[in-house]
PDB file of all heavy atoms in Angstrom:
ATOM      1  N   CYS D 148      20.644   3.687 -46.065  1.00 97.00           N
ATOM      2  CA  CYS D 148      20.808   4.782 -45.107  1.00 97.00           C
ATOM      3  C   CYS D 148      20.062   6.013 -45.624  1.00 97.00           C
ATOM      4  O   CYS D 148      19.523   5.992 -46.740  1.00 97.00           O
ATOM      5  CB  CYS D 148      22.288   5.089 -44.856  1.00 97.00           C
ATOM      6  SG  CYS D 148      23.139   5.820 -46.270  1.00 97.00           S
ATOM      7  N   THR D 183      23.898  10.435 -40.455  1.00 94.00           N
ATOM      8  CA  THR D 183      23.549   9.344 -41.363  1.00 94.00           C
ATOM      9  C   THR D 183      23.904   8.021 -40.704  1.00 94.00           C
ATOM     10  O   THR D 183      25.043   7.578 -40.770  1.00 94.00           O
ATOM     11  CB  THR D 183      24.327   9.510 -42.685  1.00 94.00           C
ATOM     12  OG1 THR D 183      24.272  10.877 -43.060  1.00 94.00           O
ATOM     13  CG2 THR D 183      23.726   8.661 -43.767  1.00 94.00           C
ATOM     14  N   SER D 184      22.930   7.384 -40.068  1.00 92.00           N
ATOM     15  CA  SER D 184      23.255   6.099 -39.458  1.00 92.00           C
ATOM     16  C   SER D 184      23.373   5.034 -40.544  1.00 92.00           C
ATOM     17  O   SER D 184      22.765   5.142 -41.601  1.00 92.00           O
ATOM     18  CB  SER D 184      22.215   5.700 -38.403  1.00 92.00           C
ATOM     19  OG  SER D 184      20.965   6.235 -38.672  1.00 92.00           O
ATOM     20  N   TYR D 185      24.146   4.021 -40.257  1.00 94.00           N
ATOM     21  CA  TYR D 185      24.383   2.873 -41.149  1.00 94.00           C
ATOM     22  C   TYR D 185      25.140   3.232 -42.424  1.00 94.00           C
ATOM     23  O   TYR D 185      25.278   2.386 -43.316  1.00 94.00           O
ATOM     24  CB  TYR D 185      23.067   2.181 -41.537  1.00 94.00           C
ATOM     25  CG  TYR D 185      22.288   1.680 -40.361  1.00 94.00           C
ATOM     26  CD1 TYR D 185      21.232   2.423 -39.838  1.00 94.00           C
ATOM     27  CD2 TYR D 185      22.611   0.471 -39.739  1.00 94.00           C
ATOM     28  CE1 TYR D 185      20.511   1.976 -38.748  1.00 94.00           C
ATOM     29  CE2 TYR D 185      21.898   0.012 -38.653  1.00 94.00           C
ATOM     30  CZ  TYR D 185      20.851   0.774 -38.159  1.00 94.00           C
ATOM     31  OH  TYR D 185      20.139   0.326 -37.080  1.00 94.00           O
ATOM     32  N   ALA D 186      25.622   4.483 -42.553  1.00 95.00           N
ATOM     33  CA  ALA D 186      26.235   4.894 -43.825  1.00 95.00           C
ATOM     34  C   ALA D 186      27.396   4.000 -44.215  1.00 95.00           C
ATOM     35  O   ALA D 186      27.573   3.685 -45.390  1.00 95.00           O
ATOM     36  CB  ALA D 186      26.703   6.343 -43.734  1.00 95.00           C
ATOM     37  N   HIS D 187      28.183   3.570 -43.243  1.00 93.00           N
ATOM     38  CA  HIS D 187      29.370   2.790 -43.579  1.00 93.00           C
ATOM     39  C   HIS D 187      29.032   1.346 -43.954  1.00 93.00           C
ATOM     40  O   HIS D 187      29.881   0.606 -44.417  1.00 93.00           O
ATOM     41  CB  HIS D 187      30.400   2.840 -42.453  1.00 93.00           C
ATOM     42  CG  HIS D 187      29.812   2.551 -41.111  1.00 93.00           C
ATOM     43  ND1 HIS D 187      28.687   3.187 -40.621  1.00 93.00           N
ATOM     44  CD2 HIS D 187      30.183   1.683 -40.141  1.00 93.00           C
ATOM     45  CE1 HIS D 187      28.412   2.718 -39.423  1.00 93.00           C
ATOM     46  NE2 HIS D 187      29.292   1.822 -39.117  1.00 93.00           N
ATOM     47  N   HIS D 188      27.778   0.943 -43.709  1.00 96.00           N
ATOM     48  CA  HIS D 188      27.357  -0.401 -44.130  1.00 96.00           C
ATOM     49  C   HIS D 188      26.479  -0.347 -45.383  1.00 96.00           C
ATOM     50  O   HIS D 188      26.136  -1.378 -45.934  1.00 96.00           O
ATOM     51  CB  HIS D 188      26.538  -1.074 -43.028  1.00 96.00           C
ATOM     52  CG  HIS D 188      27.289  -1.261 -41.757  1.00 96.00           C
ATOM     53  ND1 HIS D 188      28.406  -2.065 -41.664  1.00 96.00           N
ATOM     54  CD2 HIS D 188      27.109  -0.754 -40.520  1.00 96.00           C
ATOM     55  CE1 HIS D 188      28.872  -2.039 -40.426  1.00 96.00           C
ATOM     56  NE2 HIS D 188      28.105  -1.248 -39.711  1.00 96.00           N
ATOM     57  N   ALA D 189      26.086   0.859 -45.760  1.00 97.00           N
ATOM     58  CA  ALA D 189      24.972   0.962 -46.699  1.00 97.00           C
ATOM     59  C   ALA D 189      25.410   0.867 -48.156  1.00 97.00           C
ATOM     60  O   ALA D 189      26.478   1.338 -48.555  1.00 97.00           O
ATOM     61  CB  ALA D 189      24.233   2.272 -46.474  1.00 97.00           C
ATOM     62  N   LYS D 190      24.532   0.278 -48.957  1.00 98.00           N
ATOM     63  CA  LYS D 190      24.671   0.275 -50.408  1.00 98.00           C
ATOM     64  C   LYS D 190      23.901   1.468 -50.993  1.00 98.00           C
ATOM     65  O   LYS D 190      24.354   2.110 -51.925  1.00 98.00           O
ATOM     66  CB  LYS D 190      24.110  -1.049 -50.957  1.00 98.00           C
ATOM     67  CG  LYS D 190      23.917  -1.092 -52.449  1.00 98.00           C
ATOM     68  CD  LYS D 190      25.253  -1.090 -53.190  1.00 98.00           C
ATOM     69  CE  LYS D 190      25.031  -1.241 -54.702  1.00 98.00           C
ATOM     70  NZ  LYS D 190      26.293  -1.025 -55.435  1.00 98.00           N
ATOM     71  N   MET D 215      26.188   4.090 -52.577  1.00 98.00           N
ATOM     72  CA  MET D 215      27.232   4.494 -51.633  1.00 98.00           C
ATOM     73  C   MET D 215      28.600   3.961 -52.048  1.00 98.00           C
ATOM     74  O   MET D 215      29.618   4.414 -51.517  1.00 98.00           O
ATOM     75  CB  MET D 215      26.907   3.983 -50.228  1.00 98.00           C
ATOM     76  CG  MET D 215      25.641   4.576 -49.620  1.00 98.00           C
ATOM     77  SD  MET D 215      25.847   6.322 -49.182  1.00 98.00           S
ATOM     78  CE  MET D 215      26.869   6.167 -47.706  1.00 98.00           C
ATOM     79  N   VAL D 222      32.576   8.586 -46.187  1.00 97.00           N
ATOM     80  CA  VAL D 222      31.819   8.427 -44.938  1.00 97.00           C
ATOM     81  C   VAL D 222      32.764   8.639 -43.765  1.00 97.00           C
ATOM     82  O   VAL D 222      33.836   8.029 -43.717  1.00 97.00           O
ATOM     83  CB  VAL D 222      31.220   7.004 -44.848  1.00 97.00           C
ATOM     84  CG1 VAL D 222      30.531   6.806 -43.502  1.00 97.00           C
ATOM     85  CG2 VAL D 222      30.245   6.772 -45.991  1.00 97.00           C
ATOM     86  N   ASN D 235      27.037   9.118 -38.893  1.00 96.00           N
ATOM     87  CA  ASN D 235      28.163   9.460 -39.752  1.00 96.00           C
ATOM     88  C   ASN D 235      27.928  10.797 -40.419  1.00 96.00           C
ATOM     89  O   ASN D 235      26.796  11.276 -40.498  1.00 96.00           O
ATOM     90  CB  ASN D 235      28.311   8.416 -40.870  1.00 96.00           C
ATOM     91  CG  ASN D 235      28.485   7.020 -40.332  1.00 96.00           C
ATOM     92  OD1 ASN D 235      29.576   6.616 -39.983  1.00 96.00           O
ATOM     93  ND2 ASN D 235      27.381   6.293 -40.221  1.00 96.00           N
ATOM     94  N   GLU D 236      28.999  11.325 -40.932  1.00 96.00           N
ATOM     95  CA  GLU D 236      28.903  12.429 -41.875  1.00 96.00           C
ATOM     96  C   GLU D 236      29.186  11.877 -43.260  1.00 96.00           C
ATOM     97  O   GLU D 236      29.994  10.961 -43.407  1.00 96.00           O
ATOM     98  CB  GLU D 236      29.949  13.499 -41.542  1.00 96.00           C
ATOM     99  CG  GLU D 236      29.687  14.186 -40.227  1.00 96.00           C
ATOM    100  CD  GLU D 236      30.804  15.150 -39.865  1.00 96.00           C
ATOM    101  OE1 GLU D 236      31.925  14.677 -39.574  1.00 96.00           O
ATOM    102  OE2 GLU D 236      30.556  16.360 -39.884  1.00 96.00           O
ATOM    103  N   LEU D 237      28.532  12.441 -44.247  1.00 97.00           N
ATOM    104  CA  LEU D 237      28.769  12.063 -45.643  1.00 97.00           C
ATOM    105  C   LEU D 237      29.321  13.263 -46.378  1.00 97.00           C
ATOM    106  O   LEU D 237      28.735  14.348 -46.303  1.00 97.00           O
ATOM    107  CB  LEU D 237      27.458  11.705 -46.352  1.00 97.00           C
ATOM    108  CG  LEU D 237      26.701  10.448 -45.987  1.00 97.00           C
ATOM    109  CD1 LEU D 237      25.635  10.193 -47.064  1.00 97.00           C
ATOM    110  CD2 LEU D 237      27.654   9.282 -45.896  1.00 97.00           C
TER     111      LEU D 237
END
Side-chain angles (χ1 to χ4, degrees):
Chain D
C148 69
T183 316
S184 28
Y185 301 98
H187 49 309
H188 299 296
K190 168 69 176 171
M215 296 289 286
V222 175
N235 303 277
E236 294 175 291
L237 290 193

